[in-house]
Amino acid sequence: MNANLENTIDITVLHSPIDPETQKTGVSVFANETYSLDDYNGLFITPRIESANFRHRMSQSGYFSSWHVAGDPTLIIIRAGTLRMTLRNGRYQDFSAGDMFIAKDCLQPDEAFDDQRHGHTAELIGDQPLLAVHIKLANV
């Protein structure tokens, strides 16, 4: 996450681009999305982003989740530990305490998950348990 002087904030997003020719889901990628920040007397804040629910998460050392997609857009805020998200191309990104990102890689409604193409893995790095908050976003 980066804030800048132009009154915007960049948040890392894990998403699945759609192939314009086939309209099928491509491989998951990391990107940045920029959100505007409105000035409320020196407090800079994004417009309201609707959410559906939130959950607290805890995973023990050794946690690993094989290839999957997030499905619904979810803002994940890491409170403790380090979560590594790995893509099909081998690229990965580590998220530690204080980091946040939006996981929203998903499939088209008529697509079946392809274990050789879609998704990302998630694993806990190190010996510290993972504590996180998952906020299910209504529409991002």
Side-chain angles (χ1 to χ4, degrees):
M1 174 184 73
N2 285 327
N4 61 48
L5 298 176
E6 288 128 22
N7 295 337
T8 61
I9 190 169
D10 291 333
I11 297 176
T12 299
V13 176
L14 170 66
H15 72 101
S16 301
I18 304 302
D19 184 308
E21 291 179 20
T22 66
Q23 294 302 305
K24 297 290 182 187
T25 302
V27 297
S28 296
V29 296
F30 291 116
N32 283 325
E33 287 188 6
T34 301
Y35 293 83
S36 65
L37 295 171
D38 298 326
D39 184 355
Y40 288 95
N41 297 318
L43 176 128
F44 293 88
I45 192 166
T46 67
R48 187 177 306 258
I49 300 169
E50 298 297 326
S51 64
N53 63 58
F54 80 95
R55 297 180 287 178
H56 295 279
R57 170 186 177 171
M58 192 277 295
S59 297
Q60 294 292 344
S61 179
Y63 167 83
F64 178 81
S65 179
S66 190
W67 298 105
H68 65 283
V69 293
D72 297 327
T74 304
L75 173 66
I76 300 172
I77 303 168
I78 307 297
R79 297 179 48 227
T82 300
L83 183 65
R84 176 171 288 170
M85 309 292 284
T86 302
L87 306 179
R88 293 282 177 177
N89 64 7
R91 183 169 176 231
Y92 65 86
Q93 198 160 342
D94 292 344
F95 298 93
S96 299
D99 292 338
M100 68 179 179
F101 65 98
I102 297 173
K104 65 176 189 177
D105 55 341
C106 62
L107 302 175
Q108 296 298 298
D110 61 341
E111 272 185 296
F113 182 81
D114 180 344
D115 195 42
Q116 300 301 307
R117 178 174 174 81
H118 297 134
H120 62 275
T121 63
E123 70 180 300
L124 185 54
I125 303 300
D127 295 331
Q128 185 178 15
L130 177 72
L131 298 175
V133 175
H134 285 215
I135 301 172
K136 196 69 70 172
L137 302 177
N139 208 357
V140 172

